[in-house]
Amino acid sequence: MAARNEESSIERSVRQTLELLTDSDELIVVDDASDDATPTILASISDGRLRVFNNGQRLGRAASRNLAISHSQSDYLAIQDADDYPLTGRLGPLREMLDEDSSLVAVSGQCIALDPKWGAWRHTEYPVDPSEIAQRLDSGEMAVCHTGSMLRRSAVHKVGLYDPSFVRAQDLDLLRRLSSAGKLRNTDATVVLYSHPVLLPWKYWYVSRVNHDAVVGRPTPRMLRLRLRYSLANVRRAVRFILTHRRAEQEMKDLSNGHRTY
């Protein structure tokens, strides 16, 4: 888990993750030179399975994740963002999938997106078939819920870690490389609550788009076309929210019944 100024979410994210760990598991958090209360909050959580490392200066999410991986001793790596919240199917079932099929290099599930103002929605549905996942990744489409994923450590080291040159789309880049080393599979189960707004700010979308194009090796369109694509993307996202919000909210209620983690 890489964290940078996540004081509003880090305690919930860490504590819910710890609830899902076995006694032999560990949670490694790298604080990327936060200047808010994140370091203080992390220091207040007393659990022998939690290991916290602090960057002396801001290195970025990719470098912070790579640092966490370098300190990990596990065969499997569960990647999660510090503002997302794991559900009960986040670790155990994914671990079993990797145990049972050595050809799998990464597994994940579905996610419910959370907009801070608008509430729950489904921003996408990820394919479960490995061949479809590979095909979509090859075409440049994000086909795996990265913040709900579990990766085989040996495969990650084989293809290389996260590329710090990408501000965004680091996950797409790594998953595309992993796809060349083995199979990826998603389950139908919802494994994480993903903090993700319906309407993306221009700067976030633009940087993501430029990095995405760099990952797949295609030129970024001119600014006028980018502005048009940005507007259309947010329209599609708003429509998607309208279509999925009620069902996602009901799923949130169903998931919360009897489960503190949710």
Side-chain angles (χ1 to χ4, degrees), residues 178-198:
L178 281 172
S179 183
S180 68
K183 296 189 302 184
L184 293 82
R185 185 185 296 277
N186 295 315
T187 72
D188 286 323
T190 301
V191 299
V192 69
L193 303 181
Y194 171 39
S195 297
H196 193 54
V198 175

Side-chain angles (χ1 to χ4, degrees), residues 2-260:
R4 163 74 183 174
N5 292 344
E6 301 287 1
E7 63 181 8
S8 64
S9 61
I10 188 70
E11 182 170 9
R12 177 185 172 189
S13 183
V14 167
R15 291 193 183 279
Q16 289 190 187
T17 302
L18 289 171
E19 287 182 2
L20 302 180
L21 298 184
T22 67
D23 291 340
S24 60
D25 290 333
E26 61 182 356
L27 171 58
I28 298 176
V29 180
V30 175
D31 173 39
D32 192 23
S34 294
D35 52 22
D36 66 353
T38 297
T40 302
I41 294 170
L42 288 171
S44 72
I45 302 175
S46 179
D47 192 302
R49 298 167 300 174
L50 174 63
R51 301 170 64 198
V52 178
F53 298 89
N54 297 283
N55 293 335
Q57 59 183 357
R58 187 175 182 181
L59 301 178
R61 186 170 294 182
S64 296
R65 285 178 179 147
N66 289 343
L67 178 61
I69 292 173
S70 72
H71 287 289
S72 172
Q73 301 174 21
S74 174
D75 291 334
Y76 303 147
L77 307 168
I79 308 299
Q80 185 176 302
D81 292 336
D83 59 349
D84 299 333
Y85 312 111
L87 305 180
T88 50
R90 171 69 178 91
L91 298 178
L94 300 186
R95 192 197 319 258
E96 291 176 5
M97 291 171 64
L98 290 173
D99 284 342
E100 294 171 0
D101 188 347
S102 61
S103 68
L104 289 173
V105 295
V107 293
S108 188
Q110 309 300 319
C111 65
I112 293 178
L114 299 178
D115 183 285
K117 294 182 179 180
W118 294 10
W121 64 301
R122 291 276 189 178
H123 74 295
T124 191
E125 293 184 9
Y126 295 102
V128 299
D129 181 67
S131 60
E132 184 177 356
I133 294 172
Q135 183 179 19
R136 292 194 186 186
L137 287 172
D138 187 59
S139 67
E141 181 180 347
M142 191 62 184
V144 172
C145 177
H146 177 252
T147 191
S149 65
M150 185 176 291
L151 317 177
R152 194 178 296 277
R153 179 189 180 89
S154 59
V156 172
H157 282 287
K158 179 179 179 180
V159 303
L161 304 181
Y162 291 93
D163 187 342
S165 69
F166 295 120
V167 177
R168 301 207 179 276
Q170 311 144 351
D171 46 4
L172 175 62
D173 172 62
L174 177 59
L175 290 168
R176 279 165 57 91
R177 287 185 277 121
L178 281 172
S179 183
S180 68
K183 296 189 302 184
L184 293 82
R185 185 185 296 277
N186 295 315
T187 72
D188 286 323
T190 301
V191 299
V192 69
L193 303 181
Y194 171 39
S195 297
H196 193 54
V198 175
L199 301 180
L200 296 175
W202 161 253
K203 182 177 181 180
Y204 178 98
W205 184 91
Y206 173 74
V207 173
S208 297
R209 182 75 266 167
V210 171
N211 282 254
H212 187 111
D213 289 339
V215 167
V216 300
R218 65 189 176 206
T220 298
R222 294 185 177 184
M223 188 58 66
L224 181 61
R225 180 171 292 184
L226 282 175
R227 285 286 185 179
L228 177 59
R229 288 188 177 181
Y230 168 68
S231 298
L232 291 175
N234 271 342
V235 168
R236 287 194 294 268
R237 292 169 68 86
V239 171
R240 177 83 182 176
F241 172 82
I242 292 171
L243 295 176
T244 64
H245 171 63
R246 182 173 297 180
R247 176 168 62 92
E249 288 287 348
Q250 184 58 52
E251 288 175 313
M252 288 275 289
K253 292 179 182 179
D254 294 341
L255 290 172
S256 66
N257 289 335
H259 297 283
R260 269 192 311 141

